[in-house]
Amino acid sequence: MDEIIGSNMKKVPNVAILGFSLESNRQAPISERTAFIENLYLNSSDIKKELDGDMAGLPVTVQGFCSRMDAIGRWTPVPILIAEAPPGGPAENSFFEDMLQEMRKGLLSESSVDAVYISEHGAGLTTEDDDADGAVFEMVRTAVGPDVPIVATLDLHGHVTPKMLSNVDVMVAFKTNPHVDQFERGCEAANIIESRLNGLQISSALVKVPMISPAVSLLTASGPYADLIEYGQTLLNDQFVNISILAGFAPADASTNGMSVVVTTKGSNKQSKLLAQDTANLIAKRAWADRHSYKASLIDPQKMINLCKEVSENPNKPSIIIADVADNPGGGGRGNTAFALKALLNAGIKHATVGMIVDPELAKEAHKIGEGQSFQAIFNRSETTKFSDTWQTQATVLKLIKGSCVGRRGIYKGRRMNLGLCALLAINEVKVIISTARHQLADPIFVERFGINISSLRILVVKSRGHFRAGFDETHAPSEIYEVDFPGLTSPLIEKLDLKNVKRPIFPLDGDMEWNVPVR
């Protein structure tokens, strides 16, 4: 349908929406088809239902994109497919190929696609391909042709590759970590698509900086990465479309690892291309010069216990959060290691709450037992890893919850999350939240739904790397947060990750290496 504006006829654009999101941890179990189906796998009809409702079941980036497109003017969304799994091992390649085929079929079935928006993560692997995101972008470009604008949003833990750069017009990465600007980045993608549809020409450049950094040093409130992000933004003026700096995801252990600096400028002439490349080089040089500043600062388990004793025994001490960063479900951890919980129990710590331990069988058994009942709780009855064994202890069921909830703060804000069967157990003086679905405890709603007031907690142990900071910043200052060095699949200590597939040399594995940006 066309819209008459004066004597001109303006076509209402058909904009395809699709996405593949998986942050891949090479050491974690393979992300099979069920990991996507049970988490988020929306076909065209599913997406349309969300667009016609409150959109809470869509990724927040997609919510932002669609909201902004609605505000800009008339457009026709063309839902294709959105697939998202919790961070985990590489995607099963057969599933990935089937998904690509379904996306391709959806795009080709449309008589007219004027633009494409892709909600992607950027650190996706399959069991056969280190550049899964590049494969998605290439498929889209092949399906819609060379002239259709394509814009993608990416997590700042993504890895940008030449294949990605050559098949998408503009990549817009998050600027915040914890990620609290997902909605805004979706809006930005919509603005760029509108500009491209109105004739904006662009040039893009990519520089890969051979460095991988501890995840806990990549916060954007302060620190070296925060400084780098801010520096990139100070370079923006009306000649630029976007500057994105993606630190990458160390546990991916992939040939694509490394920091990615992506600069997009307005115009397609030689001057615009040189500006994009020179700016990317400038940022890359600054990142490399500051590489030694990216360090993890963790406390040891005994320090954790000492802190917990002080807080537990002295009500005048401020409450604290202990982050079990090495078992972060938000980075591929299974959420089932017991190092922190056992340390608390062995030390007789009181007034502590631990969450969320992911154990579907234990959650199911607790629901069968019922509230107020005591039983022999068996942890990790089936799923074990080199960091998690089967163990058992006496526990009491305090409260049972099932179903979904909508995130209240931080990365889950406005997002409908289904945690499955959940239980609050008491083991001695420690409370433990058990969940079925594998998500990090990054939103206070995951605790509050059990009737717990966050402000009443003296000690909260979270299985999360850093996103919990945005969820709990209303109750806990940074000085009241401690990251502890326990074993796990998501250890932020690079030397503990046993990286074998990254391109060498790379810092800090090759601490004495030299590097200069490529000469243009």
Side-chain angles (χ1 to χ4, degrees):
M1 181 181 295
D2 293 328
E3 183 179 69
I4 305 298
I5 303 180
S7 60
N8 298 319
M9 183 171 288
K10 181 181 179 181
K11 185 180 187 298
V12 175
N14 298 318
V15 182
I17 301 170
L18 58 94
F20 165 73
S21 184
L22 175 66
E23 185 176 59
S24 297
N25 182 323
R26 182 80 69 175
Q27 294 190 63
I30 291 172
S31 297
E32 299 178 336
R33 188 180 304 266
T34 53
F36 293 86
I37 300 300
E38 293 176 358
N39 183 68
L40 187 72
Y41 194 86
L42 305 177
N43 61 25
S44 178
S45 297
D46 297 329
I47 299 172
K48 188 177 186 305
K49 289 179 182 177
E50 290 291 341
L51 293 176
D52 292 339
D54 61 7
M55 297 197 291
L58 295 173
V60 178
T61 49
V62 180
Q63 295 179 33
F65 177 82
C66 294
S67 296
R68 180 57 188 156
M69 288 298 294
D70 287 342
I72 288 172
R74 293 184 61 192
W75 69 298
T76 302
V78 181
I80 302 296
L81 174 68
I82 296 174
E84 180 180 301
E92 179 185 19
N93 198 69
S94 60
F95 157 78
F96 182 75
E97 290 296 333
D98 289 346
M99 180 203 72
L100 282 184
Q101 183 60 33
E102 189 173 348
M103 288 178 171
R104 183 184 297 111
K105 182 178 179 181
L107 288 168
L108 293 176
S109 68
E110 295 296 325
S111 59
S112 173
V113 171
D114 301 300
V116 181
Y117 167 61
I118 307 175
S119 176
E120 203 81 354
H121 183 281
L125 310 173
T126 80
T127 50
E128 298 180 19
D129 190 355
D130 276 12
D131 191 6
D133 303 288
V136 173
F137 292 1
E138 184 178 57
M139 177 278 297
V140 174
R141 177 58 71 196
T142 301
V144 301
D147 301 322
V148 172
I150 304 174
V151 177
T153 47
L154 298 172
D155 190 299
L156 55 69
H157 292 104
H159 307 132
V160 178
T161 66
K163 181 184 287 189
M164 294 166 69
L165 188 75
S166 63
N167 286 290
V168 173
D169 295 55
V170 183
M171 285 172 276
V172 178
F174 304 159
K175 298 175 186 176
T176 62
N177 183 30
H179 309 323
V180 293
D181 65 333
Q182 300 172 73
F183 190 92
E184 289 77 9
R185 300 289 72 77
C187 291
E188 183 178 352
N191 289 335
I192 294 171
I193 278 187
E194 172 69 7
S195 296
R196 289 285 286 128
L197 289 171
N198 287 327
L200 175 69
Q201 298 297 304
I202 54 97
S203 298
S204 294
L206 164 67
V207 176
K208 294 286 287 189
V209 186
M211 58 184 282
I212 46 180
S213 304
V216 293
S217 69
L218 298 176
L219 300 173
T220 55
S222 62
Y225 192 45
D227 295 341
L228 188 65
I229 294 284
E230 177 61 26
Y231 174 67
Q233 295 306 296
T234 65
L235 300 177
L236 288 172
N237 57 42
D238 60 6
Q239 294 178 283
F240 291 88
V241 175
N242 177 269
I243 292 178
S244 288
I245 306 170
L246 300 87
F249 183 59
D253 187 18
S255 59
T256 54
N257 265 91
M259 179 177 284
S260 308
V261 180
V262 187
V263 177
T264 305
T265 54
K266 296 178 181 178
S268 57
N269 55 29
K270 182 178 180 180
Q271 183 178 1
S272 299
K273 294 176 182 178
L274 291 178
L275 177 61
Q277 189 65 64
D278 288 346
T279 304
N281 288 349
L282 190 65
I283 296 170
K285 286 180 180 179
R286 189 180 182 100
W288 181 251
D290 207 24
R291 64 193 181 279
H292 293 284
S293 300
Y294 293 77
K295 298 177 181 179
S297 180
L298 309 180
I299 62 172
D300 62 41
Q302 187 56 54
K303 174 67 172 176
M304 180 197 86
I305 292 301
N306 293 341
L307 284 168
C308 290
K309 284 183 176 180
E310 291 177 9
V311 171
S312 178
E313 296 171 359
N314 186 348
N316 294 321
K317 288 277 187 179
S319 62
I320 60 173
I321 291 180
I322 301 290
D324 186 3
V325 293
D327 190 30
N328 169 30
R334 312 321 288 169
N336 62 356
T337 66
F339 300 110
L341 176 56
K342 286 182 176 180
L344 294 171
L345 294 173
N346 291 337
I349 300 298
K350 300 179 180 180
H351 312 302
T353 300
V354 179
M356 294 178 303
I357 290 184
V358 180
D359 196 321
E361 288 184 279
L362 182 54
K364 184 177 180 180
E365 184 175 9
H367 275 258
K368 182 179 179 181
I369 296 290
E371 293 182 358
Q373 302 301 308
S374 295
F375 70 113
Q376 195 69 11
I378 303 175
F379 288 78
N380 302 326
R381 188 174 308 188
S382 298
E383 182 175 349
T384 60
T385 71
K386 61 180 178 179
F387 299 116
S388 56
D389 298 321
T390 301
W391 67 286
Q392 55 185 310
T393 186
Q394 192 70 16
T396 300
V397 181
L398 297 180
K399 191 169 182 62
L400 299 171
I401 296 287
K402 63 180 179 180
S404 62
C405 60
V406 176
R408 188 169 72 78
R409 293 181 60 79
I411 63 168
Y412 294 133
K413 182 178 179 180
R415 182 80 183 270
R416 187 181 302 113
M417 308 295 296
N418 188 354
L419 302 178
L421 298 178
C422 296
L424 178 65
L425 307 181
I427 304 175
N428 296 339
E429 300 291 334
V430 177
K431 295 178 180 178
V432 185
I433 298 173
I434 309 295
S435 75
T436 295
R438 187 166 54 84
H439 290 288
Q440 59 185 307
L441 203 163
D443 194 307
I445 193 67
F446 295 168
V447 179
E448 293 166 340
R449 64 205 295 253
F450 287 96
I452 298 173
N453 185 330
I454 301 296
S455 299
S456 71
L457 298 180
R458 300 294 295 140
I459 301 163
L460 177 62
V461 180
V462 299
K463 286 184 176 291
S464 178
R465 184 269 312 158
H467 287 313
F468 70 92
R469 291 174 179 266
F472 294 91
D473 61 357
E474 64 183 354
T475 53
H476 290 81
S479 61
E480 297 162 353
I481 294 172
Y482 300 88
E483 295 154 339
V484 63
D485 182 16
F486 282 121
L489 292 174
T490 62
S491 173
L493 302 178
I494 302 298
E495 64 272 16
K496 290 188 176 183
L497 292 177
D498 191 26
L499 303 179
K500 298 177 180 178
N501 298 286
V502 297
K503 288 183 177 179
R504 306 292 290 269
I506 196 166
F507 185 84
L509 299 182
D510 303 291
D512 297 329
M513 68 175 287
E514 295 183 0
W515 179 78
N516 291 297
V517 296
V519 178
R520 62 174 172 86

